Amino acid sequence: MLRFMDWSVVAMGCALVLTSLGGRWWERTKVRKGGSPDRDMRFLWAWLPLLMGLGMISAKLPSLLLAPHQVVMIMDTLNGVLAATGLILALRAGRRFSRARSLRTLD
């Protein structure tokens, strides 16, 4: 049962990566039709699910494939870097959103 739960985490990570690719495709289609790209939505639909999905995959997949300890440790380190990158990007997007919102209330 525990092995199934680990594989389900990997499957959810793959679903998030596919969602990210779908979001990027959707935005490109919208821009081609004449719409303006929304930078904040690009982060939400493309980068955040991609980083979360890669983090979920890299956290569980090496141990499930019985990789050597060094490979598992390298993937854990890369997972930490992905988490820090996601946090920084989320904070930047939140700051940009709150700044834009405060400027709208001043008008």
Side-chain angles (χ1 to χ4, degrees), residues 16-70:
L16 283 169
V17 169
L18 290 174
T19 301
S20 170
L21 295 175
R24 296 186 85 152
W25 173 78
W26 179 265
E27 178 148 347
R28 284 186 183 179
T29 304
K30 189 171 100 174
V31 168
R32 276 191 214 139
K33 290 182 179 179
S36 65
D38 186 5
R39 290 199 173 284
D40 293 332
M41 289 307 290
R42 182 184 309 161
F43 171 75
L44 291 175
W45 281 104
W47 290 108
L48 190 60
L50 179 68
L51 292 174
M52 287 176 53
L54 289 176
M56 291 171 75
I57 292 169
S58 68
K60 292 291 181 183
L61 195 60
S63 61
L64 286 171
L65 296 178
L66 302 174
H69 181 68
Q70 292 85 3

